[in-house]
Amino acid sequence: MKIAFFDTKPYDIASFDKIKDTANISIKYFETKLSLDTCALAKGAEAVCVFVNDTVNAAVIDKLSELDVKIIALRCAGFNNVDLDRARERQIAVLHVPAYSPYAVAEHAMALLLCSVRRIHKAYIRSKDFNFSLTGLAGFDLHGKTVGVIGTGRIGRAFIDLCRGFGMNILAYDKFPNKSLDVTYTDTDTIFQDSDIISLHCPLTEETYHIINEKTLDMMKKGVIIVNTSRGALIDTNALIESIKDRRVGAACLDVYEEESDVFFRDNSGHIMDDDTLARLISMPNVIVTSHQAFLTEEALNNIAETTVENIIEFSTKGSCKNNLA
Ligand code: NAI
């Protein structure tokens, strides 16, 4: 079994090389992302392995089909970058890793929230410069605050558990509420109106695209903190920036960004930032941006590698796989 591996990072090689020999697969690693221009690199491979910002649209799938690729193995949970209908038409399996560590993402969401609320990002820089002044660092207690959680799947539930530990009140919204979950479900309007903190844990779909927009931002409490570790396009970034400038949104903690695919996962430090929207966001003292790293723990990386390889082996030996989306 030959796999063409796109958008490779050193941590991918470390986790996949650990298991590839025992699984009897050969992996060719490419630094470049999968796109129409790079598809040809998959020649001779039965499977391509891709991540969140690879392009897997209809044109790319057609090309992969011409190359006789049978499997698109996502080494992530989200699949909004894949044209599943076209994959079905072309009879290419789309395998994903539904769960690898919800704790990794939930803990990162909480880390961003704590960092923002207690101004750790500011204090860290100050103390590096021996500036021990406390002016401007006043935060607030999370205890007793209301957090609105949108999406109560694996990650949302893990995040709710963490919030409970902090003594927060929880409001939840999910299109498909989980009846066994001990939480107060409500509608999105109530979440927007009553929450001190809103954390997004739903997938990106046509319905959830820009779920945070000018209208919904207007409904929110003054000073609300928005946490997004899910997908960038859940938020209309320009509307968010306007609300921060108007001092209505108190802070934003973002691990994802709607135009992230051109900038995240690489070192842009020696370049002029072309993306003015991202530059504006990053310039704001109450915005924390991390580069889609919520998943990045040792446990998650090992689980991702194991499940991705198991998926590929299961499909190639049985012709079906429980994690096939297509
Ligand atoms: P999950 O599938 O376990 O849960 C998603 C929940 O969202 C489900 O309960 C589902 O019913 C709900 N949902 C679906 N449509 C909805 C809608 N229109 N409105 C509200 N809720 C809706 O997924 P999981 O594992 O909890 O992941 C959630 C999201 O986190 C993923 O879709 C992905 O975008 C993101 N993610 C981000 C990572 C990162 O590194 N930043 C890593 C892994 C996932």
Side-chain angles (χ1 to χ4, degrees), residues 143-205:
H143 185 93
K145 296 294 181 305
T146 297
V147 59
V149 178
I150 299 186
T152 57
R154 298 173 191 90
I155 297 169
R157 292 200 297 273
F159 184 72
I160 287 171
D161 285 345
L162 296 178
C163 292
R164 284 226 169 89
F166 280 85
M168 301 170 81
N169 308 313
I170 292 141
L171 291 175
Y173 170 75
D174 196 295
K175 191 176 175 193
F176 308 100
N178 180 344
K179 292 196 178 79
S180 64
L181 197 62
D182 177 22
V183 72
T184 311
Y185 277 106
T186 183
D187 50 59
T188 45
D189 283 7
T190 308
I191 296 257
F192 295 139
Q193 285 159 5
D194 293 357
S195 303
D196 302 297
I197 293 137
I198 295 174
S199 195
L200 303 176
H201 299 289
C202 57
L204 175 63
T205 63

Side-chain angles (χ1 to χ4, degrees), residues 100 153-155 174 176 201 203 208 229-231 255 292 295:
Y100 40 86
R154 298 173 191 90
I155 297 169
D174 196 295
F176 308 100
H201 299 289
T208 60
T229 55
S230 211
R231 283 293 180 267
D255 184 50
H292 206 138
F295 73 99

Side-chain angles (χ1 to χ4, degrees), residues 122 241 276-287 289:
K122 298 272 148 209
I241 288 173
D276 290 350
T277 308
L278 181 60
R280 184 71 174 109
L281 264 184
I282 288 178
S283 76
M284 292 169 145
N286 49 354
V287 175
V289 175

Side-chain angles (χ1 to χ4, degrees), residues 112-162:
L112 287 174
L113 177 59
L114 283 169
C115 182
S116 171
V117 165
R118 303 308 303 269
R119 318 283 190 253
I120 307 292
H121 54 310
K122 298 272 148 209
Y124 175 79
I125 293 167
R126 281 190 194 183
S127 58
K128 282 275 168 198
D129 205 23
F130 301 101
N131 172 356
F132 300 116
S133 151
L134 295 183
T135 307
L137 296 186
F140 62 78
D141 292 5
L142 287 182
H143 185 93
K145 296 294 181 305
T146 297
V147 59
V149 178
I150 299 186
T152 57
R154 298 173 191 90
I155 297 169
R157 292 200 297 273
F159 184 72
I160 287 171
D161 285 345
L162 296 178

Side-chain angles (χ1 to χ4, degrees), residues 59-318:
V60 168
I61 290 171
D62 288 349
K63 183 75 185 155
L64 292 176
S65 171
E66 275 171 35
L67 295 170
D68 222 15
V69 169
K70 300 284 182 238
I71 298 171
I72 296 165
L74 293 160
R75 51 182 191 280
C76 54
F79 46 87
N80 51 285
N81 54 333
V82 183
D83 187 330
L84 289 180
D85 291 336
R86 184 63 73 126
R88 268 179 220 116
E89 275 169 38
R90 297 285 175 196
Q91 295 186 321
I92 297 182
V94 180
L95 315 179
H96 78 144
V97 183
Y100 40 86
S101 172
Y103 314 108
V105 183
E107 287 171 16
H108 191 77
M110 183 52 87
L112 287 174
L113 177 59
L114 283 169
C115 182
S116 171
V117 165
R118 303 308 303 269
R119 318 283 190 253
I120 307 292
H121 54 310
K122 298 272 148 209
Y124 175 79
I125 293 167
R126 281 190 194 183
S127 58
K128 282 275 168 198
D129 205 23
F130 301 101
N131 172 356
F132 300 116
S133 151
L134 295 183
T135 307
L137 296 186
F140 62 78
D141 292 5
L142 287 182
H143 185 93
K145 296 294 181 305
T146 297
V147 59
V149 178
I150 299 186
T152 57
R154 298 173 191 90
I155 297 169
R157 292 200 297 273
F159 184 72
I160 287 171
D161 285 345
L162 296 178
C163 292
R164 284 226 169 89
F166 280 85
M168 301 170 81
N169 308 313
I170 292 141
L171 291 175
Y173 170 75
D174 196 295
K175 191 176 175 193
F176 308 100
N178 180 344
K179 292 196 178 79
S180 64
L181 197 62
D182 177 22
V183 72
T184 311
Y185 277 106
T186 183
D187 50 59
T188 45
D189 283 7
T190 308
I191 296 257
F192 295 139
Q193 285 159 5
D194 293 357
S195 303
D196 302 297
I197 293 137
I198 295 174
S199 195
L200 303 176
H201 299 289
C202 57
L204 175 63
T205 63
E206 275 175 22
E207 255 173 309
T208 60
Y209 176 79
H210 283 186
I211 190 169
I212 304 286
N213 56 43
E214 194 182 341
K215 186 167 157 249
T216 56
L217 283 159
D218 276 349
M219 296 164 75
M220 293 178 195
K221 279 189 181 177
K222 189 171 160 52
V224 64
I225 297 185
I226 296 173
V227 183
N228 188 8
T229 55
S230 211
R231 283 293 180 267
L234 295 174
I235 298 182
D236 177 344
T237 315
N238 288 317
L240 175 67
I241 288 173
E242 288 310 312
S243 299
I244 297 171
K245 280 163 69 183
D246 289 354
R247 313 313 193 251
R248 281 178 289 132
V249 167
C253 306
L254 310 172
D255 184 50
V256 285
Y257 165 59
E258 53 183 334
E259 301 299 334
E260 70 179 44
S261 64
D262 290 336
V263 277
F264 279 18
F265 303 137
R266 65 173 89 123
D267 181 359
N268 300 288
S269 58
H271 303 274
I272 306 290
M273 176 49 61
D274 288 328
D275 184 329
D276 290 350
T277 308
L278 181 60
R280 184 71 174 109
L281 264 184
I282 288 178
S283 76
M284 292 169 145
N286 49 354
V287 175
I288 301 173
V289 175
T290 52
S291 49
H292 206 138
Q293 71 175 70
F295 73 99
L296 199 65
T297 66
E298 205 174 309
E299 292 80 358
L301 288 170
N302 289 337
N303 291 339
I304 287 170
E306 273 168 30
T307 307
T308 304
V309 169
E310 275 166 20
N311 282 345
I312 292 171
I313 292 172
E314 187 180 335
F315 189 83
S316 64
T317 51
K318 293 190 192 156

